[in-house]
Amino acid sequence: MRNPKLLIAGVIGLAAAGGGIAAASSGSASPARTSPAAQAAPPQVTPAPGSSTVNVATESVNGKTEPILVTAQGLPLYTYPGDTSTRSAVTGGLAAVWPPLISTAPTESGATGLVKAVVTSNGSQVQYNGHFLYTFVSDSPGHVTGQGVQNFFVATPSGTSAPASVPPKAAPSYSYGY
């Protein structure tokens, strides 16, 4: 299992160095040069060709198997109760750890809720039933690790996200460099 603190520190360190996440996977010896506006933008999750932006998958969440919303790549999606229907509260360093799902024309498969794009400071951010959607940097397809972390909760097809039986977990000691 990956160490979330090291992964988060690496992502934030790359962003602070101006290389961004793309530079980490580019394999080049020198960091990529990006404009200040590009450095401030959160990572974007782009759906694979021919697949939907928001899909339904059955995953284990805190030991209970349930249907949840996932990206085209199978990454679990989360909601944040600090958002309003018109404004995302997830920006800056928090958005580096919880990347917003971005799409100008989002689609859904297997979900019956309303999927739409709302322009925020993060870009054309995807909403499901009025809730902005996010991924978590420590997740991988089929592995839900962010449930309750920093008050984020797995998004479900029914539109509910914070089960009453699962109290929020304490926030890990991430440093955002503010």
Side-chain angles (χ1 to χ4, degrees):
M1 180 170 164
R2 295 175 284 175
N3 183 327
K5 289 182 181 178
L6 292 176
L7 180 60
I8 303 302
V11 168
I12 293 170
L14 282 171
I21 293 174
S25 61
S26 68
S28 64
S30 61
R33 301 269 181 225
T34 56
S35 70
Q39 289 175 12
Q44 294 188 8
V45 178
T46 305
S51 61
S52 296
T53 313
V54 177
N55 300 276
V56 176
T58 302
E59 302 292 349
S60 177
V61 180
N62 290 338
K64 180 182 174 192
T65 302
E66 62 183 289
I68 67 168
L69 300 180
V70 298
T71 66
Q73 296 81 17
L75 292 172
L77 289 166
Y78 297 86
T79 61
Y80 184 67
D83 291 343
T84 69
S85 62
T86 58
R87 186 187 63 81
S88 170
V90 181
T91 60
L94 191 58
V97 177
W98 296 95
L101 182 63
I102 305 294
S103 175
T104 55
T107 57
E108 60 79 23
S109 177
T112 58
L114 175 64
V115 177
K116 67 178 184 176
V118 176
V119 177
T120 69
S121 61
N122 296 320
S124 291
Q125 194 167 341
V126 178
Q127 277 189 348
Y128 182 79
N129 284 345
H131 299 280
F132 290 108
L133 298 174
Y134 306 90
T135 59
F136 182 47
V137 296
S138 293
D139 283 348
S140 59
H143 294 94
V144 179
T145 63
Q147 176 69 353
V149 174
Q150 294 181 302
N151 211 27
F152 282 80
F153 296 95
V154 172
T156 63
S158 66
T160 60
S161 57
S165 62
V166 181
K169 296 177 187 175
S173 59
Y174 300 129
S175 173
Y176 300 117
Y178 290 52

